[in-house]
Amino acid sequence: MNFCKIISLLSVCAILPAYAQSPGGINSGLVIWMKAETGWTAATWTNQSTTPLFAGISQLNVGGTTAPAKINNAGFNFNDAIQFTAGAGNVTGIAYSTTNTYSTTNFYGGSTAATKNVTYFGVSNSANFDLFSNFWSNMTTGQCGANRCNSGFRTNSVQFGNATQAIVYPATSRNNIGVGRRVSSTNRSSFINGIETNSTASDTFNDQGNYAFSIGYWPVFFANYAIPEILWYNRNLSNVEINRVNSYLALKYGTTLTQTTAQNYTAGDGTTVYWDNPSANVGGAFIYNIFGIGRDDASGLHQRISNSANNSGTTTTSGSYLTISTNNNFTASNTSANHTDISANNNYLMISDNGGALNTYSTAISGIPNIQRSNRIWQAQKTGSAIGCVYYQFNSITNPTANQRYYLIAADNPTFTTNVSIKEISVSGGTATIQVNQNAGTSNYFTIGLWDNTNIADVADTPFGIDLTKTSGWKPTSKNGYMQINSVGKSLVLTRVASTAAITSPIEGMLIFDTSDNTTKVYNGTAWRALGIIFNRFCN
């Protein structure tokens, strides 16, 4: 290659655009992207969009005494949020707002009032999204009236000018994902955790006066909760695109995309599905409390620690019962300094469960005697091989008595009969931690088992021993006795059989050597199991 060609190639590389990260990989039309972890100061919040409507948004103070503050790991799945604190009656406070310098053409797409369109997103652990983010007019007369031709989130609704679309928030969740979308004057939608409510009623689009954009404020009220992230697109996103953005937000903030209508979790590349609804419905409905860790470079997301945001305050439905992390740290925020990075893009580990009651152990597992499993079963769906050993921490486990032991039981199927692994877990203060190898097995289902001998009667003294002396009446007794056989150069030979079928009436504890496959086997009361062959899913 000659010098001129080299210079030509370098010139082409120099003008190629930089790779743009965006929520769910959806960059077209993104005019506002406010993230708590990037670009925030108390005075100014910087817009992270590559095509921003404004560079940043400044602080607005109306009699406020407490400025917004960044909080870490406070209910947003170990990620940052900005805490807003309003004064009495929410009529004073400090928030963020532009001046009234915009028209609807700045934040809506479409060429006419009838076809103007927009899509906006928010994540909130408040009872509703009131005052979350809004465009509002300086006009309070005419068609605008007291509503100020508002577009954005208000109490239990999303708004588009004077048109209101109801949105209902589930009572047993936090970190809800709300979406408002206007396609046309007869097509508006609200979404909550991915479930759409649509309206075809005709609206009258209002475009009067000049508009300001505010976060945590709407004249004349202030928010009194935390806000982690805000997204506005000046076009109507398709349902497929909304799913990709929702997947990004759900993975980041531990939100369960509601499965009353089947929804997958889709990566920012638009093709990788890292939680699959059909797979979650094999052998049961493992569609509750969905959360996970993963790396999505197209979205700029690297989630290293996670639990489900679902929490109704009871252990039977709480998703935060289980936390997973790339290292043995379950308190620090989601940063590279605090947790081990995931080494490659598009690698994910997603956890969901069957919604069964926690701390209730009532189901026996075939082949594992004297242990009852929890009614709660979890399913792990893994994408890629970069996530190997992961730490699991179970919370709010009932502390064991002296006669109880807890075990983590994992298998390739939800009935726990294929490639079963079992390991005792130590519970202290209601918490147990164990490291699991996610690269072991084709599928992963796991649960907690309880061994409890509280109601098992003590074994009475029984004759025990081998008598070679022919002493009359020699019958020693012993509790918990054992037999020792010593030899200098000989070994013990177990009963050799052609197959387990040769033992027509096996009893629990029986040992044989099966010559059909040259393995030593023990009968556990229900099945013969080979000794020394263990399918190990546990690290260390």
Side-chain angles (χ1 to χ4, degrees):
M1 181 178 289
N2 63 37
F3 177 77
C4 292
K5 288 183 178 179
I6 294 174
I7 294 298
S8 177
L9 285 174
L10 290 174
S11 299
V12 170
C13 293
I15 63 174
L16 287 176
Y19 180 73
Q21 293 178 330
S22 53
I26 306 299
N27 190 55
S28 174
L30 179 64
V31 293
I32 300 174
W33 187 11
M34 316 302 289
K35 298 192 293 182
E37 73 266 24
T38 306
W40 177 88
T41 67
T44 305
W45 200 344
T46 303
N47 192 348
Q48 300 302 306
S49 168
T50 57
T51 55
L53 179 61
F54 49 78
I57 185 169
S58 300
Q59 192 181 99
L60 169 72
N61 189 338
V62 180
T65 58
T66 304
K70 181 181 288 189
I71 55 176
N72 305 99
N73 187 20
F76 289 97
N77 203 28
F78 305 91
N79 291 299
D80 295 339
I82 307 304
Q83 178 67 52
F84 292 78
T85 305
N90 289 12
V91 296
T92 61
I94 304 175
Y96 296 93
S97 185
T98 68
T99 57
N100 293 89
T101 56
Y102 299 104
S103 67
T104 56
T105 57
N106 295 124
F107 53 95
Y108 276 89
S111 58
T112 67
T115 61
K116 282 186 178 294
N117 47 78
V118 69
T119 311
Y120 51 88
F121 297 77
V123 179
S124 175
N125 64 4
S126 170
N128 60 66
F129 283 72
D130 191 27
L131 315 176
F132 192 89
S133 67
N134 302 271
F135 279 95
W136 50 272
S137 173
N138 58 358
M139 296 289 291
T140 57
T141 59
Q143 292 185 0
C144 285
N147 185 56
R148 292 179 176 265
C149 295
N150 180 77
S151 291
F153 293 102
R154 292 304 308 272
T155 302
N156 296 322
S157 68
V158 291
Q159 298 189 349
F160 313 91
N162 277 353
T164 297
Q165 177 71 37
I167 189 167
V168 179
Y169 305 100
T172 58
S173 298
R174 68 176 193 267
N175 299 357
N176 291 307
I177 301 171
V179 183
R181 179 180 66 181
R182 185 184 193 268
V183 178
S184 69
S185 58
T186 57
N187 187 345
R188 298 178 305 279
S189 298
S190 64
F191 294 77
I192 186 68
N193 300 334
I195 300 300
E196 180 182 11
T197 301
N198 183 262
S199 173
T200 58
S202 180
D203 68 12
T204 301
F205 192 87
N206 293 288
D207 187 5
Q208 295 187 346
N210 298 314
Y211 291 80
F213 177 74
S214 298
I215 301 174
Y217 170 75
W218 185 88
V220 284
F221 298 100
F222 288 82
N224 200 30
Y225 55 86
I227 296 176
E229 193 155 352
I230 292 167
L231 311 170
W232 280 73
Y233 290 83
N234 63 359
R235 66 182 182 91
N236 59 292
L237 271 60
S238 68
N239 281 19
V240 171
E241 291 175 313
I242 288 176
N243 172 257
R244 286 169 58 180
V245 178
N246 278 342
S247 297
Y248 155 76
L249 294 171
L251 176 59
K252 185 173 183 177
Y253 296 109
T255 305
T256 296
L257 296 182
T258 306
Q259 298 299 314
T260 51
T261 299
Q263 302 182 74
N264 295 332
Y265 285 60
T266 310
D269 63 6
T271 58
T272 302
V273 174
Y274 55 89
W275 187 87
D276 178 59
N277 177 279
S279 297
N281 281 284
V282 175
F286 298 92
I287 59 174
Y288 305 100
N289 303 312
I290 306 168
F291 70 99
I293 57 177
R295 176 175 163 182
D296 183 356
D297 289 353
S299 298
L301 177 61
H302 198 150
Q303 193 68 30
R304 307 164 185 86
I305 179 172
S306 184
N307 61 30
S308 170
N310 289 353
N311 188 355
S312 68
T314 65
T315 57
T316 55
T317 56
S318 173
S320 57
Y321 186 88
L322 171 63
T323 303
I324 62 174
S325 174
T326 57
N327 64 358
N328 195 18
N329 185 332
F330 295 95
T331 58
S333 58
N334 175 44
T335 66
S336 181
N338 294 328
H339 301 278
T340 305
D341 284 341
I342 298 168
S343 62
N345 179 38
N346 272 344
N347 276 258
Y348 306 88
L349 172 64
M350 300 297 292
I351 306 294
S352 56
D353 64 58
N354 65 346
L358 295 164
N359 290 327
T360 301
Y361 305 89
S362 59
T363 304
I365 297 179
S366 176
I368 306 179
N370 302 324
I371 292 180
Q372 302 289 314
R373 70 159 174 82
S374 170
N375 290 355
R376 175 70 58 91
I377 300 175
W378 291 268
Q379 182 197 53
Q381 293 191 31
K382 192 171 76 71
T383 302
S385 59
I387 299 175
C389 289
V390 174
Y391 287 85
Y392 287 29
Q393 185 177 85
F394 296 89
N395 304 294
S396 303
I397 300 177
T398 303
N399 285 323
T401 67
N403 295 315
Q404 294 176 327
R405 301 288 187 274
Y406 285 105
Y407 295 85
L408 183 66
I409 305 168
D412 277 353
N413 61 341
T415 55
F416 298 94
T417 58
T418 304
N419 290 334
V420 181
S421 300
I422 180 170
K423 186 173 184 178
E424 185 175 357
I425 54 177
S426 176
V427 177
S428 177
T431 297
T433 301
I434 189 170
Q435 195 178 17
V436 179
N437 183 2
Q438 300 300 153
N439 285 328
T442 57
S443 301
N444 283 285
Y445 296 86
F446 58 95
T447 189
I448 294 177
L450 174 64
W451 176 83
D452 189 344
N453 74 344
T454 303
N455 298 318
I456 299 177
D458 195 9
V459 178
D461 290 348
T462 56
F464 178 83
I466 298 176
D467 179 25
L468 299 178
T469 64
K470 299 182 180 180
T471 302
S472 176
W474 184 86
K475 289 184 178 180
T477 60
S478 173
K479 285 185 178 180
N480 302 317
Y482 67 93
M483 180 172 65
Q484 178 176 318
I485 300 176
N486 290 329
S487 174
V488 175
K490 303 295 182 182
S491 63
L492 173 68
V493 178
L494 297 177
T495 300
R496 299 163 62 87
V497 296
S499 70
T500 56
I503 310 298
T504 57
S505 300
I507 60 174
E508 185 176 339
M510 185 176 286
L511 283 169
I512 61 169
F513 184 81
D514 188 341
T515 59
S516 67
D517 55 9
N518 291 327
T519 57
T520 301
K521 295 179 179 177
V522 61
Y523 189 72
N524 62 15
T526 57
W528 289 99
R529 291 199 178 273
L531 297 181
I533 299 177
I534 301 174
F535 191 85
N536 186 21
R537 299 173 189 270
F538 306 110
C539 305
N540 300 326

Short mmCIF file of all heavy atoms in Angstrom, two decimals, residues 231-258:
data_model
loop_
_atom_site.label_atom_id
_atom_site.label_comp_id
_atom_site.label_asym_id
_atom_site.label_seq_id
_atom_site.Cartn_x
_atom_site.Cartn_y
_atom_site.Cartn_z
N LEU A 231 -35.85 10.68 30.15
CA LEU A 231 -35.61 10.57 28.71
C LEU A 231 -36.76 11.22 27.95
O LEU A 231 -37.93 11.00 28.28
CB LEU A 231 -35.53 9.10 28.29
CG LEU A 231 -34.62 8.16 29.08
CD1 LEU A 231 -34.86 6.72 28.65
CD2 LEU A 231 -33.17 8.53 28.89
N TRP A 232 -36.43 12.02 26.93
CA TRP A 232 -37.43 12.58 26.03
C TRP A 232 -36.97 12.39 24.59
O TRP A 232 -35.83 12.73 24.24
CB TRP A 232 -37.64 14.08 26.28
CG TRP A 232 -38.53 14.37 27.46
CD1 TRP A 232 -38.22 14.22 28.77
CD2 TRP A 232 -39.87 14.88 27.41
NE1 TRP A 232 -39.28 14.60 29.56
CE2 TRP A 232 -40.31 15.02 28.75
CE3 TRP A 232 -40.74 15.24 26.38
CZ2 TRP A 232 -41.57 15.49 29.08
CZ3 TRP A 232 -42.00 15.72 26.70
CH2 TRP A 232 -42.41 15.83 28.04
N TYR A 233 -37.88 11.84 23.75
CA TYR A 233 -37.66 11.71 22.31
C TYR A 233 -38.66 12.59 21.59
O TYR A 233 -39.86 12.58 21.94
CB TYR A 233 -37.85 10.26 21.86
CG TYR A 233 -36.79 9.30 22.32
CD1 TYR A 233 -36.84 8.73 23.60
CD2 TYR A 233 -35.74 8.94 21.48
CE1 TYR A 233 -35.87 7.84 24.02
CE2 TYR A 233 -34.76 8.05 21.90
CZ TYR A 233 -34.83 7.50 23.16
OH TYR A 233 -33.87 6.62 23.58
N ASN A 234 -38.21 13.34 20.57
CA ASN A 234 -39.14 14.19 19.82
C ASN A 234 -39.74 13.44 18.63
O ASN A 234 -39.90 13.97 17.54
CB ASN A 234 -38.46 15.49 19.36
CG ASN A 234 -37.32 15.24 18.39
OD1 ASN A 234 -37.00 14.09 18.06
ND2 ASN A 234 -36.70 16.31 17.93
N ARG A 235 -40.09 12.19 18.87
CA ARG A 235 -40.80 11.37 17.88
C ARG A 235 -41.51 10.25 18.63
O ARG A 235 -41.23 10.00 19.82
CB ARG A 235 -39.84 10.78 16.84
CG ARG A 235 -38.84 9.77 17.39
CD ARG A 235 -37.90 9.28 16.31
NE ARG A 235 -36.96 8.27 16.80
CZ ARG A 235 -37.18 6.96 16.78
NH1 ARG A 235 -38.34 6.48 16.31
NH2 ARG A 235 -36.28 6.12 17.23
N ASN A 236 -42.44 9.57 17.95
CA ASN A 236 -43.11 8.45 18.58
C ASN A 236 -42.31 7.17 18.33
O ASN A 236 -42.09 6.77 17.20
CB ASN A 236 -44.55 8.29 18.07
CG ASN A 236 -44.62 8.08 16.57
OD1 ASN A 236 -44.31 8.98 15.80
ND2 ASN A 236 -45.05 6.89 16.15
N LEU A 237 -41.84 6.57 19.40
CA LEU A 237 -41.10 5.32 19.30
C LEU A 237 -42.08 4.17 19.07
O LEU A 237 -43.21 4.18 19.59
CB LEU A 237 -40.30 5.05 20.57
CG LEU A 237 -38.87 5.62 20.63
CD1 LEU A 237 -38.88 7.14 20.51
CD2 LEU A 237 -38.17 5.19 21.91
N SER A 238 -41.65 3.18 18.31
CA SER A 238 -42.46 1.98 18.11
C SER A 238 -42.47 1.16 19.40
O SER A 238 -41.65 1.36 20.31
CB SER A 238 -41.90 1.14 16.97
OG SER A 238 -40.64 0.58 17.35
N ASN A 239 -43.38 0.19 19.49
CA ASN A 239 -43.43 -0.67 20.67
C ASN A 239 -42.14 -1.48 20.82
O ASN A 239 -41.71 -1.76 21.94
CB ASN A 239 -44.64 -1.61 20.59
CG ASN A 239 -45.93 -0.91 20.98
OD1 ASN A 239 -46.01 0.32 20.97
ND2 ASN A 239 -46.94 -1.69 21.33
N VAL A 240 -41.53 -1.86 19.71
CA VAL A 240 -40.26 -2.59 19.76
C VAL A 240 -39.17 -1.69 20.35
O VAL A 240 -38.37 -2.13 21.20
CB VAL A 240 -39.86 -3.09 18.36
CG1 VAL A 240 -38.44 -3.64 18.36
CG2 VAL A 240 -40.84 -4.15 17.88
N GLU A 241 -39.13 -0.44 19.93
CA GLU A 241 -38.14 0.49 20.47
C GLU A 241 -38.41 0.78 21.95
O GLU A 241 -37.47 0.86 22.75
CB GLU A 241 -38.16 1.79 19.67
CG GLU A 241 -37.63 1.65 18.25
CD GLU A 241 -37.79 2.92 17.45
OE1 GLU A 241 -38.89 3.52 17.48
OE2 GLU A 241 -36.81 3.33 16.79
N ILE A 242 -39.67 0.94 22.31
CA ILE A 242 -40.00 1.17 23.72
C ILE A 242 -39.56 -0.01 24.57
O ILE A 242 -39.05 0.16 25.68
CB ILE A 242 -41.51 1.45 23.87
CG1 ILE A 242 -41.83 2.85 23.32
CG2 ILE A 242 -41.96 1.34 25.32
CD1 ILE A 242 -43.30 3.19 23.31
N ASN A 243 -39.71 -1.23 24.05
CA ASN A 243 -39.26 -2.40 24.80
C ASN A 243 -37.76 -2.36 25.04
O ASN A 243 -37.28 -2.72 26.13
CB ASN A 243 -39.63 -3.68 24.05
CG ASN A 243 -39.01 -4.93 24.66
OD1 ASN A 243 -38.04 -5.47 24.15
ND2 ASN A 243 -39.55 -5.37 25.79
N ARG A 244 -36.99 -1.91 24.05
CA ARG A 244 -35.53 -1.84 24.23
C ARG A 244 -35.15 -0.80 25.28
O ARG A 244 -34.28 -1.05 26.12
CB ARG A 244 -34.86 -1.53 22.89
CG ARG A 244 -34.85 -2.71 21.94
CD ARG A 244 -34.42 -2.31 20.53
NE ARG A 244 -33.10 -1.70 20.48
CZ ARG A 244 -32.53 -1.27 19.37
NH1 ARG A 244 -33.17 -1.39 18.20
NH2 ARG A 244 -31.32 -0.73 19.39
N VAL A 245 -35.81 0.35 25.26
CA VAL A 245 -35.52 1.37 26.28
C VAL A 245 -35.98 0.89 27.65
O VAL A 245 -35.27 1.04 28.66
CB VAL A 245 -36.19 2.71 25.91
CG1 VAL A 245 -35.94 3.75 27.01
CG2 VAL A 245 -35.67 3.23 24.57
N ASN A 246 -37.17 0.30 27.71
CA ASN A 246 -37.66 -0.24 28.98
C ASN A 246 -36.74 -1.32 29.53
O ASN A 246 -36.54 -1.43 30.75
CB ASN A 246 -39.07 -0.80 28.81
CG ASN A 246 -40.15 0.27 28.87
OD1 ASN A 246 -39.91 1.37 29.35
ND2 ASN A 246 -41.33 -0.05 28.38
N SER A 247 -36.19 -2.16 28.65
CA SER A 247 -35.26 -3.21 29.09
C SER A 247 -34.03 -2.61 29.74
O SER A 247 -33.56 -3.09 30.79
CB SER A 247 -34.86 -4.09 27.90
OG SER A 247 -35.97 -4.76 27.35
N TYR A 248 -33.50 -1.57 29.12
CA TYR A 248 -32.34 -0.86 29.69
C TYR A 248 -32.67 -0.32 31.08
O TYR A 248 -31.91 -0.53 32.04
CB TYR A 248 -31.94 0.27 28.74
CG TYR A 248 -31.21 1.42 29.40
CD1 TYR A 248 -29.87 1.31 29.76
CD2 TYR A 248 -31.86 2.63 29.65
CE1 TYR A 248 -29.21 2.38 30.37
CE2 TYR A 248 -31.21 3.69 30.24
CZ TYR A 248 -29.88 3.56 30.60
OH TYR A 248 -29.23 4.61 31.21
N LEU A 249 -33.80 0.36 31.22
CA LEU A 249 -34.18 0.94 32.51
C LEU A 249 -34.49 -0.14 33.53
O LEU A 249 -34.14 -0.01 34.72
CB LEU A 249 -35.38 1.87 32.33
CG LEU A 249 -35.14 3.14 31.49
CD1 LEU A 249 -36.46 3.85 31.21
CD2 LEU A 249 -34.16 4.08 32.19
N ALA A 250 -35.14 -1.22 33.10
CA ALA A 250 -35.51 -2.29 34.03
C ALA A 250 -34.29 -3.00 34.58
O ALA A 250 -34.21 -3.29 35.79
CB ALA A 250 -36.44 -3.29 33.32
N LEU A 251 -33.32 -3.32 33.72
CA LEU A 251 -32.10 -3.97 34.19
C LEU A 251 -31.34 -3.05 35.14
O LEU A 251 -30.84 -3.48 36.18
CB LEU A 251 -31.22 -4.36 33.01
CG LEU A 251 -29.85 -4.97 33.34
CD1 LEU A 251 -30.00 -6.23 34.17
CD2 LEU A 251 -29.06 -5.25 32.07
N LYS A 252 -31.29 -1.78 34.81
CA LYS A 252 -30.52 -0.82 35.61
C LYS A 252 -31.14 -0.61 36.99
O LYS A 252 -30.42 -0.54 38.00
CB LYS A 252 -30.43 0.50 34.86
CG LYS A 252 -29.55 1.55 35.53
CD LYS A 252 -29.38 2.76 34.62
CE LYS A 252 -28.44 3.80 35.22
NZ LYS A 252 -28.23 4.94 34.31
N TYR A 253 -32.46 -0.52 37.05
CA TYR A 253 -33.11 -0.14 38.31
C TYR A 253 -33.86 -1.29 38.98
O TYR A 253 -34.60 -1.07 39.94
CB TYR A 253 -34.04 1.05 38.07
CG TYR A 253 -33.27 2.28 37.63
CD1 TYR A 253 -33.35 2.75 36.32
CD2 TYR A 253 -32.41 2.93 38.51
CE1 TYR A 253 -32.61 3.85 35.91
CE2 TYR A 253 -31.67 4.03 38.10
CZ TYR A 253 -31.77 4.49 36.81
OH TYR A 253 -31.03 5.57 36.40
N GLY A 254 -33.67 -2.53 38.51
CA GLY A 254 -34.26 -3.68 39.17
C GLY A 254 -35.75 -3.80 39.01
O GLY A 254 -36.43 -4.44 39.82
N THR A 255 -36.29 -3.20 37.96
CA THR A 255 -37.74 -3.19 37.73
C THR A 255 -38.17 -4.44 36.98
O THR A 255 -37.50 -4.86 36.03
CB THR A 255 -38.15 -1.95 36.92
OG1 THR A 255 -37.66 -0.78 37.59
CG2 THR A 255 -39.65 -1.86 36.77
N THR A 256 -39.29 -5.02 37.38
CA THR A 256 -39.87 -6.14 36.65
C THR A 256 -40.80 -5.62 35.56
O THR A 256 -41.76 -4.90 35.86
CB THR A 256 -40.66 -7.06 37.59
OG1 THR A 256 -39.77 -7.64 38.54
CG2 THR A 256 -41.37 -8.17 36.82
N LEU A 257 -40.51 -5.93 34.31
CA LEU A 257 -41.45 -5.65 33.24
C LEU A 257 -42.62 -6.62 33.38
O LEU A 257 -42.44 -7.84 33.32
CB LEU A 257 -40.79 -5.80 31.87
CG LEU A 257 -39.65 -4.82 31.57
CD1 LEU A 257 -39.11 -5.04 30.16
CD2 LEU A 257 -40.09 -3.38 31.74
N THR A 258 -43.81 -6.09 33.60
CA THR A 258 -44.97 -6.91 33.94
C THR A 258 -45.29 -7.89 32.83
O THR A 258 -45.35 -7.52 31.65
CB THR A 258 -46.18 -6.00 34.21
OG1 THR A 258 -45.82 -5.03 35.19
CG2 THR A 258 -47.36 -6.81 34.71
#
